[in-house]
Amino acid sequence: MNSDLKKRVKAGHQPHAAPAANAAGGGRRSKANSADAEIPPALSGAVRRVAALLTGIANDEHSRRYDIGIEVKTIKDAKGAEKYGEHAIRRLAKAVGRDENVLYAYGEVATTFPDKRAFHALHQMLNSRGVPLSFSHFIAVAESPVSD
């Protein structure tokens, strides 16, 4: 994990609260949709509930993908061929009906972010639209070359 992110996590960086407009789908609106920019009070409760449900789905999905990555990392760290047989990740992918490269990407995330609590703290950080980072963002960071 890069040192700036580590510092923010160690400093107890708190997740940002999503602005109401962002929770409602924020971002740029066309002139045709400008009348929809304000959420009526009767709709605001539904907006909050749906936004919370969507965040819950994302949290659960991130956690499950991370846990899959831990399994892949464990196999790789154990020198898979010795303990699990030749081409262990390929066999695992075939057995669970997933792409081998996807499983390796999940493993890279678990390798890059070995502390699950820190990973989840980073996941709670919001982008400029008030949305948590997607797992694809973590894959991109994990697969990026590190420069000194």
Side-chain angles (χ1 to χ4, degrees):
M1 179 173 1
N2 92 25
S3 61
D4 183 51
L5 291 177
K6 281 183 182 177
K7 288 177 190 173
R8 291 174 73 181
V9 170
K10 285 183 179 178
H13 177 77
Q14 295 297 313
H16 303 292
N22 289 341
R28 291 187 175 167
R29 296 183 185 274
S30 68
K31 288 184 181 182
N33 290 336
S34 63
D36 297 331
E38 290 187 34
I39 303 297
L43 185 58
S44 64
V47 169
R48 282 192 305 276
R49 288 188 298 276
V50 169
L53 288 167
L54 289 172
T55 299
I57 289 170
N59 287 339
D60 187 51
E61 182 177 332
H62 276 62
S63 184
R64 289 174 189 265
R65 289 180 181 189
Y66 184 86
D67 290 345
I68 292 167
I70 292 293
E71 292 293 332
V72 170
K73 179 183 180 311
T74 300
I75 292 168
K76 287 173 48 180
D77 289 351
K79 308 279 190 261
E82 294 171 17
K83 184 172 181 179
Y84 299 100
E86 292 290 324
H87 309 289
I89 304 300
R90 182 180 302 153
R91 289 175 182 222
L92 172 65
K94 186 173 182 179
V96 298
R98 295 292 186 247
D99 183 82
E100 176 182 3
N101 293 325
V102 170
L103 295 184
Y104 274 115
Y106 292 0
E108 287 300 314
V109 170
T111 299
T112 304
F113 303 96
D115 181 342
K116 189 172 185 173
R117 289 188 330 184
F119 169 78
H120 285 294
L122 291 171
H123 165 61
Q124 295 303 315
M125 295 171 65
L126 306 176
N127 69 15
S128 61
R129 290 178 280 166
V131 177
L133 299 174
S134 72
F135 202 81
S136 296
H137 288 106
F138 289 97
I139 290 173
V141 169
E143 292 178 343
S144 296
V146 177
S147 61
D148 293 323

